Amino acid sequence: AHSMFTAAIGVGIGIAVQARSAVTRIVVIAIGWLCAMLLHALWNYSASLGGDGFFGAYVTMQVPLFLAFLIMVVVLRRREARLIGTHLSPYADAGWFTHAEVRMLSSMGGRRVARAWAKQAGGSAGVSSMRAFQDAASELALLRSRMSRGAASVDAPEIERRLLDSLVARRQEFLGSPVT
């Protein structure tokens, strides 16, 4: 339950990061915080109801809430995968990625397979490089998404360049040569 309360604040922060307006950012963080407080208060109140009351509150409130959070996580993971594929494809067209890498990066299963391959090919150093490659690619896609919406910071082009340089370096570590 406590991790769900904390996640409510995280959802607010996640929405705020993507918002253009400073007022929207403050409001959605406050709403996330208020939801977390309300959920925690209800949890604490249910504990004061005694065994049957607590069990009833648990079944009618906490279980559906937990299922809703699981559904939200699945939906958000799929949305992020689509976002990664959409925003990394132009980089593949420009030669920074192969299209196969973009498909791998936009799939949780593909990422797992790539890390397993990197471990087999390069041991723990290979896995570490692959994970860093995948993380930098995700960060690049999210940055590009913010840039396309006009919600990125003024130093976004410099961050983009650093991420691209990091991707090339990480690829060289686990693959041995850059994409040409």
Side-chain angles (χ1 to χ4, degrees):
H2 285 86
S3 60
M4 289 190 297
F5 309 151
T6 304
I9 297 170
V11 168
I13 292 170
I15 294 169
V17 166
Q18 297 187 14
R20 289 185 189 186
S21 162
V23 172
T24 302
R25 290 179 184 145
I26 292 168
V27 168
V28 296
I29 290 172
I31 289 171
W33 178 62
L34 289 171
C35 286
M37 287 180 21
L38 175 64
L39 291 170
H40 199 278
L42 288 171
W43 175 256
N44 288 347
Y45 173 70
S46 69
S48 70
L49 298 176
D52 289 340
F54 175 77
F55 183 73
Y58 183 79
V59 169
T60 60
M61 184 179 64
Q62 294 300 326
V63 170
L65 185 62
F66 177 72
L67 293 174
F69 268 87
L70 285 179
I71 291 167
M72 181 184 71
V73 167
V74 169
V75 167
L76 289 174
R77 297 278 301 249
R78 287 185 178 164
R79 178 183 172 270
E80 185 174 324
R82 282 192 309 274
L83 184 140
I84 287 170
T86 298
H87 289 286
L88 291 184
S89 289
Y91 291 101
D93 294 340
W96 287 101
F97 293 99
T98 66
H99 287 282
E101 285 174 328
V102 172
R103 282 190 302 278
M104 174 270 292
L105 290 163
S106 57
S107 158
M108 294 309 295
R111 286 172 173 251
R112 263 190 307 279
V113 168
R115 286 191 304 270
W117 170 84
K119 182 173 184 153
Q120 183 181 8
S124 62
V127 172
S128 178
S129 295
M130 178 61 77
R131 191 176 306 276
F133 175 80
Q134 292 173 343
D135 291 346
S138 295
E139 193 175 337
L140 177 65
L142 296 173
L143 175 66
R144 177 49 62 182
S145 174
R146 288 191 306 276
M147 290 170 76
S148 69
R149 290 190 330 273
S153 62
V154 294
D155 63 342
E158 293 84 21
I159 295 170
E160 177 185 41
R161 185 61 205 197
R162 281 196 305 268
L163 288 168
L164 289 168
D165 291 342
S166 174
L167 286 162
V168 169
R170 298 301 76 78
R171 183 186 294 112
Q172 287 175 335
E173 290 172 2
F174 69 76
L175 202 56
S177 64
V179 173
T180 57

